[in-house]
Amino acid sequence: MEMKGEQRIGLTDEAQNYVIDLQKAHEDKMEESFWPSTLLEGIEHGEEFVDTVSRLRDWIFTQRNSKDYFIRQEEVRLLAPIARPRKNIFCVGKNYREHVLEMGSEEDIPEHIMIFTKAPTTVIGQQESIPLHDDVTAQLDYEGELAIVIGKKGKSISKDDAMEHIFGYTIVNDITARDLQKRHKQFFLGKSLDGTCPMGPVIVHKSGIDDPQCLSLKTLVNGDVRQSDSTKQMIFSIPEIIASISKGMTLEPGDIIATGTPSGVGKGFNPPRFLKGGDVVEVCIEKIGTLRNTVK
Ligand code: MG
């Protein structure tokens, strides 16, 4: 989050009405433990950071002035939880059967996992606008997705060990310029226009989600439900995704993997329903929250 022009790590309450100022708690408690300046740095620090966060949270509740640590969310600017990833965001393509069918046919259902990436400059937070980019695309589309945030470094990770490498989960809207995606064959340009990876509103630590493969996911445009499915329907499960990507390639703390989108994208409608200026796109995932952005 950004508070008084300064970037800080916050913890939200369950209803996400408040942000708890952990940095203030760290200072007031005179903790000697390491305190990161960004969440990415914290994630890179491993489990010790997670322990510090829970210790600070518990400490706040024992304080007579505990209210001083709670800030109403309207008073801060929520940034993307990882505002500037160190590398491209990994994305799984064609990972929900119904989405593959709306974009093509049965023959397009992948036998092997399909991975493309988005440039780090695509990332924006909850309160930023998605640029319409009408000088380069006439077909801007949404894709609501569950995203995995890696917490532990690993290479050639087995499916059995995959979940241990996860730090937590967030929401990504894999905004896509369909005309560029098609014209240039390789997806990269159509997936990497500035501001086309809204992320957040928060990262939920893995301890807060028992079964990431059983979460309801909905995307709404101006309140109209376009996508509604469960992460149960993924063709390649989360352990399979981590195992496949890490075959010979090191995954590192802070790496982000968007796990694919269900059916109901704008291109899937007849006629297609691409995004226009002023549209409000919301991606809601159970246990994580709602990622809301306006197209401008
Ligand atoms: Mg996608």
Side-chain angles (χ1 to χ4, degrees), residues 81-292:
I82 299 182
R84 188 62 191 255
R86 296 216 198 278
K87 53 175 97 152
N88 285 16
I89 294 110
F90 296 93
C91 303
V92 184
K94 302 186 177 166
N95 204 22
Y96 287 78
R97 188 188 150 82
E98 294 302 317
H99 171 61
V100 181
L101 298 182
E102 74 178 345
M103 300 292 276
S105 68
E106 197 78 38
E107 285 161 30
D108 301 314
I109 292 171
E111 185 189 341
H112 300 287
I113 197 165
M114 187 184 149
I115 304 287
F116 61 90
T117 71
K118 292 171 88 75
T121 38
T122 55
V123 175
I124 58 171
Q126 166 89 324
Q127 280 141 316
E128 287 173 88
S129 308
I130 302 164
L132 185 60
H133 290 291
D134 54 355
D135 51 339
V136 282
T137 176
Q139 301 189 349
L140 201 69
D141 207 348
Y142 51 85
E143 296 190 354
E145 309 194 10
L146 172 71
I148 305 162
V149 180
I150 295 295
K152 187 176 137 196
K153 186 173 172 173
K155 184 172 165 181
S156 303
I157 302 165
S158 71
K159 276 193 268 180
D160 287 346
D161 294 341
M163 303 309 272
E164 275 173 42
H165 288 263
I166 296 176
F167 174 82
Y169 303 92
T170 188
I171 304 173
V172 151
N173 188 349
D174 174 20
I175 297 282
T176 307
R178 298 290 179 208
D179 36 9
L180 300 187
Q181 184 183 22
K182 193 167 174 220
R183 187 190 313 149
H184 298 277
K185 310 290 181 225
Q186 233 270 1
F187 284 13
F188 186 58
L189 287 181
K191 294 284 190 177
S192 287
L193 297 178
D194 288 354
T196 56
C197 189
M199 184 195 298
V202 296
I203 292 176
V204 176
H205 185 254
K206 62 179 169 187
S207 59
I209 296 182
D210 293 336
D211 186 1
Q213 219 70 76
C214 189
L215 300 172
S216 84
L217 185 163
K218 275 193 175 62
T219 305
L220 295 86
V221 179
N222 303 325
D224 176 26
V225 180
R226 299 282 185 87
Q227 300 187 283
S228 178
D229 210 332
S230 163
T231 56
K232 216 185 286 170
Q233 302 301 331
M234 286 182 198
I235 298 172
F236 299 99
S237 67
I238 292 168
E240 285 174 298
I241 295 169
I242 293 176
S244 304
I245 297 180
S246 71
K247 250 180 214 160
M249 172 165 47
T250 305
L251 281 173
E252 298 174 294
D255 283 350
I256 300 152
I257 308 169
T259 57
T261 203
S263 63
V265 301
K267 191 181 163 65
F269 288 87
N270 187 15
R273 300 169 81 177
F274 296 120
L275 294 169
K276 309 176 301 299
D279 281 350
V280 178
V281 195
E282 292 168 291
V283 185
C284 323
I285 300 184
E286 200 184 341
K287 298 197 161 105
I288 303 177
T290 298
L291 172 66
R292 186 180 299 105

Side-chain angles (χ1 to χ4, degrees), residues 65-77:
N65 64 338
S66 59
K67 275 201 206 102
D68 296 355
Y69 297 90
F70 284 74
I71 307 154
R72 288 207 67 86
Q73 239 191 57
E74 302 88 73
E75 290 169 37
V76 302
R77 201 163 83 92

